[in-house]
Amino acid sequence: MSDNDETPDDEDVQSAVEYLKMLQQGNMFNGREGLLEQLKELAQKGVHPLEVLQAMRKPVQEEPMAQVLDSFDLEGIAKYIAEKGCQRIVVMCGAGISTSAGIPDFRTPGTGLYDNLQRFNLPQAESIFELNFFRRNPGAFYELAREMWPGNFEPTPAHYFIRLLHEKGLLLRCYSQNIDSLERRAGLPGDKLVAAHGNFDEAHVIDTEPEVLVDINELKSALDKGEEGWQKLREDKGGLVKPKIVFFGEELPERFARLHRTDLANCDLLIVMGTSLVVHPFAGLVGYAARSAPRLLINRDQAGTCDGLKFGFRFHLAEAQNWRDAFHAGDCDSGCKALSELLGWKEDLQALVDSKGAASVTRAPWVEPESQ
Ligand code: OAD
């Protein structure tokens, strides 16, 4: 949206119209043609369909509970962890935990990936990760995939903080939207991680049922040869091959579907870091956390509040309306360091960072030692 509603910006109009076309192609308006016409009219004025659809949503009312935090900040969360003896913390994370490793996020204006894809001449930035677009124009994604291929990036203090929670015996699960595999590189065991948007561990031929898997190294060497390489691979495999990262229009991994409801219902604390919480179904996990479980967001800016996300955060509301949500505005690394310090684990976190995950860390005093 431009600042002035009377003179819509051409780019806003174009983006609104393209987005609407995409929704239409997905048969979203069957039986709701009246709504489609209204959205078309508004799109011509530069109003994005998402803004309208969002505004149509009725915020879900929640009955406030007795406060579970003494204060709605890192101190309150640290006190809660130690006094309650938390052992089932769920972490949800996004691109913001990897920016200090040198990997751009998606939506930060200017530096985010979606502001830097002009060379691909896309209808809209997200198209680069859309299955329909990929079927028609595989070259754009393939070029980007070569640049994004996980390389020599090192985990950040935020990644080691997640590992620290695991070593302390407090982590139930980490749900990550990131495809850089840095959680594993920080030493988090596979069973503690749900890579909700997939990763570059495997590749598959799209549109195959049952799914045909391809060795990721085969895809890598094909892409290294440019268009000739991927065209040949397409012929050999009978279809386009892509890394198993989740595109818009694809299902999330089976592991996500199997675990998320139980994990969130059982968590005793939810920590969300470095995500704009705009991509579903991932963002919806926030609302599945047990109602009595405190929730902490560490992010540069507020995200996932209940006016836009079902059962979302309430830290922006008056205290009577918020019984459990805390927002720490700032970088993930500094937020994680501050929380570790409040828990008396500053040195443990630093040791993991300095040793690249090799240091051993003792369990929290309230957690049983691991059985051999
Ligand atoms: P976004 O780029 O949407 O959001 C990143 C959030 O992290 C923003 O709120 C930033 O302000 C914040 N941020 C960036 N660096 C930070 C830092 N060092 N410390 C604290 N906050 C920081 O990224 P995601 O939410 O991860 O999906 O994006 C979700 C999904 O959208 C991605 O998984 C990807 C994309 O389309 C697919 O590709 C399927």
Side-chain angles (χ1 to χ4, degrees):
M1 258 317 274
S2 67
D3 290 341
N4 182 348
D5 285 355
E6 313 253 307
T7 51
D9 190 312
D10 281 353
E11 274 186 27
D12 286 344
V13 174
Q14 199 191 342
S15 143
V17 169
E18 292 291 349
Y19 197 84
L20 198 50
K21 271 191 204 150
M22 191 187 80
L23 293 181
Q24 215 178 335
Q25 280 161 5
N27 298 325
M28 300 267 296
F29 295 103
N30 290 353
R32 308 187 74 185
E33 285 75 15
L35 174 62
L36 174 62
E37 287 314 310
Q38 280 176 12
L39 290 175
K40 276 186 184 167
E41 244 172 68
L42 288 165
Q44 290 304 330
K45 295 179 184 159
V47 182
H48 200 279
L50 276 185
E51 279 179 64
V52 186
L53 295 172
Q54 191 71 41
M56 284 168 62
R57 264 183 74 166
K58 291 197 192 86
V60 179
Q61 298 296 323
E62 275 197 86
E63 197 58 42
M65 289 177 58
Q67 292 192 353
V68 292
L69 290 174
D70 281 358
S71 61
F72 299 94
D73 50 18
L74 290 185
E75 284 77 8
I77 295 287
K79 191 157 180 259
Y80 174 90
I81 293 176
E83 284 180 0
K84 293 281 173 189
C86 284
Q87 295 188 41
R88 297 188 311 276
I89 299 178
V90 169
V91 172
M92 289 170 59
C93 55
I97 68 164
S98 294
T99 52
S100 68
I103 304 171
D105 67 6
F106 294 88
R107 295 179 180 79
T108 292
T111 56
L113 181 75
Y114 290 153
D115 258 3
N116 290 286
L117 297 173
Q118 291 82 356
R119 64 191 183 286
F120 296 120
N121 219 357
L122 304 165
Q124 55 176 33
E126 286 88 345
S127 308
I128 196 99
F129 297 122
E130 271 163 19
L131 210 48
N132 270 334
F133 186 81
F134 176 64
R135 286 190 189 101
R136 286 180 272 120
N137 307 282
F141 169 73
Y142 281 146
E143 192 177 325
L144 185 70
R146 285 186 61 188
E147 294 166 21
M148 289 175 68
W149 213 273
N152 291 323
F153 295 105
E154 291 293 337
T156 66
H159 291 99
Y160 285 116
F161 175 73
I162 302 169
R163 165 83 189 282
L164 178 72
L165 292 178
H166 166 62
E167 294 300 329
K168 291 286 174 192
L170 312 190
L171 185 72
L172 176 59
R173 207 91 60 193
C174 170
Y175 285 79
S176 178
Q177 294 168 100
N178 299 344
I179 53 178
D180 53 32
S181 297
L182 288 183
E183 300 86 3
R184 294 300 311 282
R185 196 149 174 179
L188 194 66
D191 68 312
K192 289 288 168 179
L193 180 69
V194 175
H197 291 170
N199 52 37
F200 284 81
D201 287 357
E202 294 179 299
H204 68 144
V205 184
I206 65 163
D207 303 323
T208 50
E209 184 62 51
E211 183 181 57
V212 175
L213 292 177
V214 175
D215 186 334
I216 192 76
N217 295 316
E218 216 181 320
L219 175 60
K220 176 82 171 66
S221 16
L223 295 190
D224 285 343
K225 293 183 193 124
E227 179 160 355
E228 202 187 311
W230 61 255
Q231 290 285 20
K232 168 97 176 43
L233 187 67
R234 179 188 203 162
E235 267 167 43
D236 292 350
K237 303 292 174 189
L240 284 165
V241 179
K242 80 177 225 325
K244 284 199 74 174
I245 61 176
V246 178
F247 272 24
F248 295 109
E250 282 189 308
E251 294 283 322
L252 269 57
E254 181 276 334
R255 184 172 160 73
F256 175 90
R258 181 160 40 87
L259 294 175
H260 74 273
R261 290 225 180 217
T262 322
D263 280 354
L264 271 297
N266 287 322
C267 76
D268 49 19
L269 170 68
L270 174 65
I271 300 180
V272 184
M273 302 196 282
T275 170
S276 58
L277 289 173
V278 294
V279 173
H280 287 266
F282 189 91
L285 296 189
V286 171
Y288 290 140
R291 260 168 66 79
S292 58
R295 304 181 297 189
L296 165 68
L297 173 69
I298 302 177
N299 210 44
R300 284 189 182 150
D301 30 49
Q302 291 194 0
T305 50
C306 61
D307 29 22
L309 181 66
K310 193 174 176 188
F311 301 125
F313 291 118
R314 304 170 76 83
F315 43 63
H316 60 308
L317 303 179
E319 280 207 4
Q321 292 295 315
N322 174 27
W323 62 95
R324 52 139 161 196
D325 292 336
F327 172 50
H328 178 80
D331 282 3
C332 296
D333 292 345
S334 54
C336 288
K337 284 180 188 170
L339 184 53
S340 306
E341 184 163 7
L342 288 164
L343 287 160
W345 299 337
K346 183 180 165 191
E347 283 76 23
D348 286 335
L349 177 60
Q350 197 55 50
L352 284 174
V353 173
D354 292 343
S355 67
K356 297 189 177 176
S360 58
V361 169
T362 54
R363 302 210 124 202
W366 57 88
V367 179
E368 294 274 314
E370 214 167 5
S371 50
Q372 294 303 308

